[in-house]
Amino acid sequence: YPDVLIVIENRAGSVYHGGRFLVGKAKEIVALCELIKADDLKLGVVLDFPQLLTAENIDPLKFKEAKYQAAIQMISEHCDLIKGIHIWGKKKSATRRWVAHSGNFDTYFCGNQEVKNVFLMGIHEICNDDCRRFLVPEVNSGIDDLASIIKDFTCLEW
């Protein structure tokens, strides 16, 4: 299948038996992109933005804007290899535990619109070019949360 697009996604967080994830932090994503370019491989990257926050130890409630923007700046130099973005919300359950892939960006950032906008502008910085990309939303909490995330994207000036 010579025309198949194969992508690698960054991952962080839960530790699985046998080791840690190889591509999670911005510097690891950049290193992967550099290897792809150096060997002229037919590979791309799907950038999971919430996983990037986890890998970079950026708490959505104590958001480190400078750290996030530094990560985005590093990755944006390789935006031609970013073939898609994986996004999802997060919200607290009835027991007050965080549940990934539920909620929307408002629940993820506990209503802090300034932080949500900084997060979205980071996505915009990487994706604001003439490249078409896949949008991979993973929202298990219903159509309203999915619609909210999509609406946040349509409000950006591409």
Side-chain angles (χ1 to χ4, degrees):
Y1 302 95
D3 296 327
V4 170
L5 175 62
I6 299 173
V7 294
I8 298 170
E9 182 175 351
N10 58 302
R11 180 72 165 84
S14 303
V15 177
Y16 292 97
H17 180 70
R20 67 174 198 84
F21 296 106
L22 298 176
V23 180
K25 295 182 178 187
K27 67 180 182 178
E28 295 163 344
I29 296 165
V30 167
L32 173 64
C33 290
E34 289 172 349
L35 287 171
I36 290 170
K37 288 179 180 178
D39 291 337
D40 196 27
L41 300 174
K42 290 187 71 172
L43 291 174
V45 173
V46 168
L47 187 54
D48 186 319
F49 278 84
Q51 292 288 341
L52 178 63
L53 294 184
T54 298
E56 294 291 339
N57 294 315
I58 300 172
D59 184 334
L61 305 182
K62 299 174 191 154
F63 199 80
K64 299 173 187 169
E65 184 176 343
K67 192 171 187 179
Y68 177 67
Q69 289 177 338
I72 293 300
Q73 185 63 41
M74 276 195 289
I75 296 168
S76 69
E77 295 178 25
H78 301 282
C79 64
D80 57 315
L81 289 178
I82 306 300
K83 305 301 181 185
I85 58 171
H86 183 183
I87 54 163
W88 38 276
K90 203 177 213 183
K91 69 178 180 180
K92 289 196 175 187
S93 70
T95 62
R96 309 297 297 152
R97 290 183 48 133
W98 282 105
V99 180
H101 308 117
S102 294
N104 55 41
F105 295 146
D106 293 315
T107 58
Y108 191 39
F109 297 108
C110 288
N112 187 328
Q113 293 299 306
E114 184 178 325
V115 170
K116 180 175 96 169
N117 289 337
V118 169
F119 176 76
L120 289 167
M121 289 310 297
I123 296 171
H124 181 264
E125 183 175 333
I126 288 177
C127 298
N128 189 28
D129 55 16
D130 292 329
C131 295
R132 293 177 64 133
R133 292 181 175 85
F134 293 98
L135 174 64
V136 186
E138 185 175 1
V139 181
N140 300 329
S141 54
I143 192 70
D144 290 340
D145 287 330
L146 177 61
S148 175
I149 287 174
I150 299 302
K151 182 180 177 192
D152 285 336
F153 273 91
T154 60
C155 290
L156 290 174
E157 292 188 25
W158 299 97

